[in-house]
Amino acid sequence: MNYRHIYHAGNFADVLKHAVLARLVRYQQNKDKAFRVLDTHAGIGLYDLSSEEAQKTGEWQTGIGKLLEADLPAEVDELMEPYLSAVRELNPEGGLKYYPGSPKLARMLFRPQDRLSAMELHPDDFRALSRLFEGDYQARVTELDGWLSLGAHLPPKEKRGLVLVDPPFEKENEYERLADGLHKAYRRFATGTYCLWYPLKKNAPIKDFHERLQSYEIPKMLCTELSVRSDRLEGLSGSGLIIVNPPYTLKDELHAMLPVLKAIMAQDRYASHRAFWLRGEA
């Protein structure tokens, strides 16, 4: 309940998460049928990077700030277009004042038939998120512990969906909770696409986390990670995503995007990236 994303909005971890989220939304739209995005830890949805909180850390300056200024290769520019176009749409006069959180980004990419269910437990953030989507018939905001939504809100009535699980990682057992949350959700909605975010930092139990996921009978799990600096230092050094039932094109897209993102946002010579199958296709 103490975590506030405004301090971290637009940082390197958001860049990876939101670039992939935009690719996943676009892939869902390859079919005309409606789909639903379930965002389990939605935050306030839209972030003012000129605010005192965002300025205090300035993390966006080494994330989305650098990316917008970069000259991207044509292939990567095309892959990043849905994400970067949404950011630019929020800043029509140029510069970078507003940044979309996951629910706002997904909503900006929707067709008329697509739907959003956004969960937020923090009372102040829930009220801000509710105001953001007030009167929007394509978005439903619920004051709820996002972990509970993995049972109560699945499967979606559309029978097609993308589930984003982006917890704050304030507790020691969050990696286990994330893995177990996926396991529970998958039993209810095995055909959905899931995107799980996790932090990379000193002494993080990544190997145990991956092995726990591999123990589940989930046929296709793709993992991608991007680190911008050494994990021997304190604090967040990188972040990862687990994508269940990923688009068949996503691994190749990541292989194109990750080296460019690393080069743009690297903070020391230990920056690295990888994309590999935890389970499924070799």
Side-chain angles (χ1 to χ4, degrees):
M1 293 292 288
N2 294 322
Y3 177 86
R4 306 303 295 276
H5 193 67
I6 183 60
Y7 292 100
H8 314 289
N11 69 358
F12 65 84
D14 266 3
V15 167
L16 176 64
K17 175 177 61 184
H18 291 150
V20 171
L21 175 63
R23 299 307 309 157
L24 294 175
V25 168
R26 282 289 182 253
Y27 186 80
Q28 293 282 332
Q29 293 169 340
N30 286 340
K31 296 182 179 180
D32 290 336
K33 189 178 178 183
F35 72 96
R36 183 172 296 269
V37 171
L38 171 60
D39 192 335
T40 64
H41 298 76
I44 65 173
L46 183 64
Y47 298 91
D48 183 351
L49 300 181
S50 68
S51 68
E52 181 180 350
E53 295 91 342
Q55 290 291 323
K56 185 175 181 179
T57 60
E59 289 187 17
W60 59 271
Q61 296 176 16
T62 54
I64 186 61
K66 281 196 169 185
L67 184 60
L68 284 176
E69 294 175 353
D71 185 13
L72 301 177
E75 179 186 8
V76 176
D77 188 52
E78 183 177 352
L79 292 172
M80 302 289 287
E81 188 275 335
Y83 166 45
L84 294 181
S85 289
V87 176
R88 292 186 177 110
E89 184 179 335
L90 291 172
N91 298 278
E93 297 180 1
L96 187 56
K97 177 176 171 60
Y98 294 109
Y99 184 80
S102 301
K104 178 65 173 177
L105 174 62
R107 178 64 184 89
M108 292 178 73
L109 298 175
F110 276 0
R111 305 163 302 179
Q113 64 266 43
D114 303 328
R115 297 293 184 269
L116 169 70
S117 292
M119 309 294 149
E120 180 52 50
L121 183 60
H122 193 290
D124 292 340
D125 289 358
F126 165 72
R127 285 190 287 271
L129 189 65
S130 296
R131 288 193 297 271
L132 180 65
F133 290 116
E134 186 175 4
D136 186 344
Y137 72 92
Q138 290 184 248
R140 179 180 178 184
V141 178
T142 304
E143 188 173 10
L144 182 70
D145 183 343
W147 295 113
L148 298 178
S149 69
L150 294 175
H153 288 259
L154 293 176
K157 65 179 182 180
E158 293 84 2
K159 306 302 181 186
R160 296 184 67 231
L162 167 58
V163 182
L164 176 66
V165 189
D166 177 21
F169 277 84
E170 292 181 306
K171 300 178 180 178
E172 290 185 4
N173 67 341
E174 289 284 69
Y175 292 93
E176 294 178 8
R177 197 177 190 187
L178 183 58
D180 291 345
L182 170 65
H183 195 209
K184 178 176 74 172
Y186 186 83
R187 291 199 301 266
R188 295 181 61 90
F189 185 39
T191 58
T193 296
Y194 296 83
C195 184
L196 282 61
W197 181 90
Y198 60 95
L200 300 176
K201 52 187 177 181
K202 187 177 182 180
N203 299 323
I206 303 303
K207 184 173 183 294
D208 291 343
F209 174 56
H210 286 174
E211 288 178 353
R212 192 180 190 95
L213 289 168
Q214 288 170 326
S215 72
Y216 301 145
E217 294 301 317
I218 299 177
K220 290 188 177 182
M221 282 191 285
L222 181 65
C223 176
T224 185
E225 294 179 345
L226 175 64
S227 295
V228 298
R229 61 180 179 84
S230 170
D231 63 3
R232 295 182 179 182
L233 303 173
E234 296 297 329
L236 189 70
S237 60
S239 70
L241 298 170
I242 303 294
I243 304 101
V244 173
N245 295 330
Y248 73 94
T249 56
L250 185 60
K251 188 167 183 282
D252 287 341
E253 292 176 356
L254 288 167
H255 282 308
M257 293 162 56
L258 288 170
V260 176
L261 293 178
K262 187 196 80 168
I264 291 170
M265 298 187 294
Q267 297 177 15
D268 66 25
R269 63 189 180 92
Y270 297 103
S272 63
H273 63 84
R274 60 178 181 163
F276 63 96
W277 289 100
L278 269 181
R279 282 183 64 99
E281 300 181 24

